[in-house]
Amino acid sequence: MTTPSTPPLDPSLANGDEAVPAMSEEPTPPPPSRRSAVLSAAGLATSILIAVLTVLPSPFAIGGPGPTFDTLGVDADGAPLVEIQGAPTYDASGELRLTTVSVSRGGSNMFTMGSVLAGYFSPHRYVVPEEYVFGDPDQEDLVDEQAQQDWITSQESATVSALEELGVAVPASIRVAGVQDDSNALGKLEADDVLVAIDGTEIDTYKQMSDAVNAHDPGDMIDVTVLRGTEELTESFAMLDSGDGTAVMGIWIDPTFDIPIDVTVQIDKVGGPSAGMMFSLGIMDKLTELDELDGENVAGTGTIDADGDVGPIGGIQFKMEGALNAGANYFLAPIENCDDVRGHVPQGLSVFSVDNLDDAYAAVESIGAGTTSELPTC
């Protein structure tokens, strides 16, 4: 066992005097300057602000690039994401990816005002009040229900337009759902009328109706034959201008399709109509023996009507970024989104504009063949 050694005594204490600590006078510190006080107050305020931003819930929605889904691929269990029954299908070597925007909301996620500010200044995010995306909080269920209905409707329209593009007629019963207040058909056509002919030509498919309407200019007279109960009657009225120079009848319609194949989509947690065009392309690729892509990875977005018209969508800047993150080299964008595309194309991604399904399918074939120099861009 050892004990700590005792330090030697100071020789000056040899006579038993007590040790007295040495004393030194230190100058009194000067009072803080006004600048120091201001800096201290600013530092305290900043600390408080940071603390508040860290814990204060935010009523905003933050969006950014979302996941992509290969319409020609399979899920984690090996099941096709887009499955077709009722017709022979063929394998493809490439990818056709639908793109999404991922949106988080302060009402259901505990992000804070700090997250909102970070998102606001980030080129990879957008920040808007919750109601801009999700509507009135009291109508949240209705908004979600509408998004899911749009998702389902887009799949039906995609199937019809894909089959029609491949030359397979899809019979349809086209019912009048309502007449616009400014339509010249007001008082002539009624809800539940069933369209049977336009300008004397029988209408059996949605595309036939669309082609007959598109043959007119605004102001032209159109003859519409409908079945009202058991009575068949023909009404004539002038076409309206849709606002972009195309002619419309000014009625709402509700088509019922007799689709000869069954298409099942195994993708959850996605809503809205913006995947329609990519669904159509995926269906067309599966139904044709030709390997259109030849191994290429193509992504895109756009709504689709049953007659093959491609419509604009929101958040295309983030969808292009998500496509690049997923390994896509090419992106198909609705021509009406070109203003949003310009200046936002990620490096390494080639973007081509499309106006309808025929354009989109031709673009896919050109990409697979390596002949993209003539494809239109934004």
Side-chain angles (χ1 to χ4, degrees), residues 198-200 209-224 237-240 245-249:
I198 292 180
D199 295 327
M209 181 208 68
S210 179
D211 290 344
V213 171
N214 291 335
H216 287 274
D217 293 321
D220 286 354
M221 296 298 293
I222 189 171
D223 298 329
V224 179
F237 52 89
M239 302 283 282
L240 299 178
T246 59
V248 293
M249 291 187 288

Side-chain angles (χ1 to χ4, degrees), residues 230-265:
T230 58
E231 180 185 6
E232 188 174 290
L233 54 96
T234 299
E235 297 286 357
S236 299
F237 52 89
M239 302 283 282
L240 299 178
D241 189 328
S242 66
D244 62 4
T246 59
V248 293
M249 291 187 288
I251 64 176
W252 291 286
I253 61 171
D254 180 20
T256 301
F257 298 103
D258 184 13
I259 302 176
I261 62 174
D262 291 324
V263 178
T264 304
V265 177

Side-chain angles (χ1 to χ4, degrees), residues 131-212:
E131 59 269 23
Y132 283 23
V133 179
F134 301 101
D136 190 313
D138 295 335
Q139 298 181 333
E140 179 179 340
D141 291 341
L142 292 177
V143 172
D144 291 341
E145 183 179 335
Q146 183 61 53
Q148 286 305 307
Q149 183 58 50
D150 289 342
W151 175 251
I152 294 170
T153 301
S154 73
Q155 296 169 32
E156 181 180 61
S157 296
T159 304
V160 172
S161 60
L163 290 172
E164 292 278 3
E165 184 68 23
L166 292 175
V168 179
V170 180
S173 174
I174 303 172
R175 183 181 68 87
V176 176
V179 181
Q180 295 176 199
D181 291 340
D182 62 343
S183 174
N184 295 311
L186 193 65
K188 296 185 176 184
L189 300 184
E190 299 178 359
D192 292 328
D193 285 351
V194 177
L195 274 65
V196 295
I198 292 180
D199 295 327
T201 300
E202 189 175 340
I203 299 300
D204 294 317
T205 70
Y206 185 94
K207 190 175 188 307
Q208 288 174 344
M209 181 208 68
S210 179
D211 290 344

Side-chain angles (χ1 to χ4, degrees), residues 17-301:
D17 296 334
E18 292 183 358
V20 179
M23 302 290 293
S24 65
E25 291 188 7
E26 295 188 6
T28 303
S33 66
R34 182 174 181 179
R35 180 172 179 275
S36 298
V38 170
L39 290 175
S40 298
L44 177 60
T46 300
S47 299
I48 294 173
L49 178 61
I50 292 174
V52 170
L53 293 179
T54 303
V55 300
L56 184 66
S58 166
F60 289 87
I62 300 178
T68 68
F69 300 90
D70 179 15
T71 59
L72 302 177
V74 297
D75 62 18
D77 298 323
L81 291 181
V82 178
E83 185 175 12
I84 299 175
Q85 295 180 335
T89 58
Y90 306 90
D91 294 334
S93 63
E95 297 180 1
L96 285 171
R97 291 191 168 272
L98 67 87
T99 53
T100 67
V101 173
S102 179
V103 183
S104 299
R105 59 190 304 178
S108 58
N109 294 274
M110 288 304 294
F111 55 75
T112 61
M113 188 61 73
S115 302
V116 169
L117 292 177
Y120 182 81
F121 290 105
S122 170
H124 309 292
R125 296 287 185 271
Y126 72 84
V127 176
V128 294
E130 275 191 12
E131 59 269 23
Y132 283 23
V133 179
F134 301 101
D136 190 313
D138 295 335
Q139 298 181 333
E140 179 179 340
D141 291 341
L142 292 177
V143 172
D144 291 341
E145 183 179 335
Q146 183 61 53
Q148 286 305 307
Q149 183 58 50
D150 289 342
W151 175 251
I152 294 170
T153 301
S154 73
Q155 296 169 32
E156 181 180 61
S157 296
T159 304
V160 172
S161 60
L163 290 172
E164 292 278 3
E165 184 68 23
L166 292 175
V168 179
V170 180
S173 174
I174 303 172
R175 183 181 68 87
V176 176
V179 181
Q180 295 176 199
D181 291 340
D182 62 343
S183 174
N184 295 311
L186 193 65
K188 296 185 176 184
L189 300 184
E190 299 178 359
D192 292 328
D193 285 351
V194 177
L195 274 65
V196 295
I198 292 180
D199 295 327
T201 300
E202 189 175 340
I203 299 300
D204 294 317
T205 70
Y206 185 94
K207 190 175 188 307
Q208 288 174 344
M209 181 208 68
S210 179
D211 290 344
V213 171
N214 291 335
H216 287 274
D217 293 321
D220 286 354
M221 296 298 293
I222 189 171
D223 298 329
V224 179
T225 302
V226 298
L227 185 64
R228 183 176 299 164
T230 58
E231 180 185 6
E232 188 174 290
L233 54 96
T234 299
E235 297 286 357
S236 299
F237 52 89
M239 302 283 282
L240 299 178
D241 189 328
S242 66
D244 62 4
T246 59
V248 293
M249 291 187 288
I251 64 176
W252 291 286
I253 61 171
D254 180 20
T256 301
F257 298 103
D258 184 13
I259 302 176
I261 62 174
D262 291 324
V263 178
T264 304
V265 177
Q266 305 287 351
I267 302 175
D268 297 326
K269 298 181 180 179
V270 178
S274 65
M277 181 186 72
M278 299 309 292
F279 278 138
S280 291
L281 292 174
I283 293 168
M284 292 177 70
D285 194 298
K286 284 175 174 284
L287 291 176
T288 53
E289 292 187 69
L290 176 67
D291 185 12
E292 293 91 340
L293 290 164
D294 194 26
E296 296 290 354
N297 186 339
V298 179
T301 187

